[in-house]
Amino acid sequence: GENVEQHPSTLSVQEGDSAVIKCTYSDSASNYFPWYKQELGKRPQLIIDIRSNVGEKKDQRIAVTLNKTAKHFSLHITETQPEDSAVYFCAARPNYGQNFVFGPGTRLSVLP
Amino acid sequence: DADVTQTPRNRITKTGKRIMLECSQTKGHDRMYWYRQDPGLGLQLIYYSFDVKDINKGEISDGYSVSRQAQAKFSLSLESAIPNQTALYFCATSQGAGTEAFFGQGTRLTVV
């Protein structure tokens, strides 16, 4: 089955700096990779996703890159703000209808 | 707005008691999931259902059971609660393969 690893487990950056979170997956059949943000006491919510036929996707300050050959994908947040402080989860999902497998999460702290 | 609703939001119960967590959705999605979240361990899948007649175990199903009463309702039961089932529980839904999961607000369960 699929296994997703995520690094780092905690990340502190100064406001305005960039943050990068990396994930690796094991199942080459996985072709959908969402990223979720979970603020303290709230539910995880999708912030960006990417499919395996795309190498990069951007949405304002957030971008995700995917390297299918190496089986890793990364979340990039530029110009970080205090409201970016949260736990971020990556996930992988094979298209044949199996379930999401989540990484263990990264706690991002943006210091003012 | 269409949503995923969990009840109760918080529950304290005693060891050995039977407890049911309920989830209902107005998104019209066919797939529903129950996840457990422990600090530092991400989201672990307990059970999932792709339609009313389809129930499947996830990675940590021991000690739990589920019922899919209708397309919109998916309940999780702890037959005899134990303290290490203290956790935050999330219900989620998705439509088809390769699409994002939408999470409920979560149920914080404490077993004393």
Side-chain angles (χ1 to χ4, degrees):
Chain A
E2 177 64 276
N3 181 53
V4 177
E5 298 184 353
Q6 183 173 347
H7 299 280
S9 57
T10 60
L11 177 61
S12 293
V13 299
Q14 290 295 135
E15 183 177 357
D17 288 350
S18 295
V20 180
I21 302 170
K22 298 181 179 181
C23 288
T24 61
Y25 62 99
S26 61
D27 189 346
S28 57
S30 289
N31 65 0
Y32 176 63
F33 307 93
W35 284 89
Y36 287 83
K37 176 184 180 182
Q38 185 180 25
E39 297 177 1
L40 189 63
K42 297 191 176 180
R43 70 182 95 183
Q45 293 194 297
L46 182 80
I47 55 171
I48 196 167
D49 57 10
I50 192 167
R51 300 180 192 280
S52 59
N53 58 347
V54 175
E56 182 175 1
K57 184 177 179 180
K58 287 188 71 173
D59 182 3
Q60 300 182 352
R61 297 186 296 109
I62 295 173
V64 56
T65 58
L66 172 65
N67 183 325
K68 285 172 53 180
T69 302
K71 291 190 226 169
H72 66 72
F73 56 113
S74 299
L75 177 71
H76 304 254
I77 305 174
T78 59
E79 301 173 17
T80 54
Q81 301 168 3
E83 53 264 38
D84 294 329
S85 295
V87 177
Y88 292 81
F89 294 99
C90 63
R93 183 174 188 174
N95 194 41
Y96 51 82
Q98 296 307 305
N99 296 293
F100 296 98
V101 177
F102 286 87
T106 296
R107 182 172 299 279
L108 173 65
S109 298
V110 179
L111 308 174
Chain B
D1 283 343
D3 204 359
V4 182
T5 302
Q6 292 182 231
T7 56
R9 295 292 310 279
N10 289 281
R11 180 73 182 266
I12 300 174
T13 192
K14 293 184 177 180
T15 298
K17 293 290 187 181
R18 184 179 188 275
I19 181 170
M20 179 182 289
L21 309 183
E22 299 188 351
C23 177
S24 63
Q25 52 120 342
T26 55
K27 289 191 167 293
H29 291 169
D30 54 0
R31 301 176 181 211
M32 299 187 74
Y33 312 81
W34 276 104
Y35 288 92
R36 168 177 169 159
Q37 185 175 33
D38 297 282
L41 290 181
L43 294 156
Q44 296 176 282
L45 183 63
I46 307 172
Y47 270 94
Y48 62 101
S49 169
F50 284 178
D51 64 43
V52 174
K53 296 181 181 179
D54 177 75
I55 302 289
N56 302 281
K57 292 183 178 180
E59 54 190 306
I60 57 163
S61 59
D62 287 348
Y64 302 93
S65 63
V66 291
S67 172
R68 183 85 183 263
Q69 301 96 323
Q71 188 194 25
K73 295 183 182 295
F74 193 35
S75 301
L76 176 71
S77 293
L78 287 68
E79 297 301 326
S80 179
I82 56 177
N84 75 0
Q85 291 178 313
T86 293
L88 184 57
Y89 291 85
F90 285 102
C91 174
T93 71
S94 69
Q95 181 63 32
T99 61
E100 69 177 284
F102 291 86
F103 287 84
Q105 315 98 309
T107 295
R108 186 167 297 281
L109 176 65
T110 303
V111 183
V112 297

